[in-house]
Amino acid sequence: MGSPIHLTEIDHVAIAVRDLDGAIEYYSQAFGCQVEHRELVEKDGVEEALLKVADSYVQLLTPTRDDSPVARFLDSKGEGLHHVGYRVDNCQEAIEAVREAGGRLIDEVPRPGSRGTTIAFVHPKGSFGTLIELVQE
Ligand code: CO
């Protein structure tokens, strides 16, 4: 029996930056990208800007405090690709499929994300080195 397909779209590619305004300016000038949504996600200690690219987004992320996971990421790895967000119809079902496949979940149950989405993160260890976010709109 084959597995059902859970991913419906690449929702966003998230890039960790130290200077959010500088990065937005660069993406605007170099690529013509406009900010569609900007949000402070207090719980995760990040501020993010979503720049629309076709049906997906580039998400520029910057930490708002020193102990946020994105701050630790920048300290250890520097700026660059942070995670890939895949759109799913049902976050709970997608979590279960990851668990059955032997993946390592950071979020065992779906939780609120930005833009009113429902999300869960999957640990890069167990996903071939990429932090994955499951995004249900
Ligand atoms: Co994300």
Side-chain angles (χ1 to χ4, degrees):
M1 203 175 83
S3 294
I5 294 167
H6 293 281
L7 310 183
T8 59
E9 194 98 50
I10 292 177
D11 186 81
H12 61 277
V13 173
I15 297 162
V17 301
R18 295 187 191 280
D19 175 3
L20 186 59
D21 289 320
I24 289 168
E25 181 69 14
Y26 173 73
Y27 270 76
S28 169
Q29 286 187 3
F31 307 123
C33 293
Q34 303 298 318
V35 174
E36 188 168 295
H37 182 82
R38 190 164 171 162
E39 185 169 337
L40 197 71
V41 186
E42 204 58 65
K43 183 181 174 294
D44 294 334
V46 299
E47 185 173 5
E48 62 173 58
L50 288 169
L51 288 63
K52 193 106 173 133
V53 179
D55 289 330
S56 304
Y57 297 97
V58 172
Q59 180 187 64
L60 301 172
L61 274 179
T62 203
T64 56
R65 42 173 210 265
D66 291 343
D67 65 341
S68 90
V70 175
R72 290 198 299 270
F73 176 91
L74 285 171
D75 285 345
S76 66
K77 297 191 171 154
E79 292 178 306
L81 186 61
H82 184 265
H83 66 272
V84 178
Y86 295 118
R87 216 167 286 160
V88 298
D89 286 333
N90 185 314
C91 197
Q92 183 62 55
E93 281 180 12
I95 284 173
E96 282 158 19
V98 168
R99 189 181 290 123
E100 280 167 26
R104 246 174 82 175
L105 290 150
I106 294 172
D107 298 301
E108 295 282 343
V109 291
R111 65 177 176 92
S114 63
R115 285 184 295 137
T117 57
T118 300
I119 62 147
F121 277 96
V122 182
H123 203 283
K125 284 179 183 154
S127 293
F128 296 85
T130 302
L131 176 61
I132 291 172
E133 181 181 1
L134 305 165
V135 184
Q136 179 185 338
E137 293 199 298

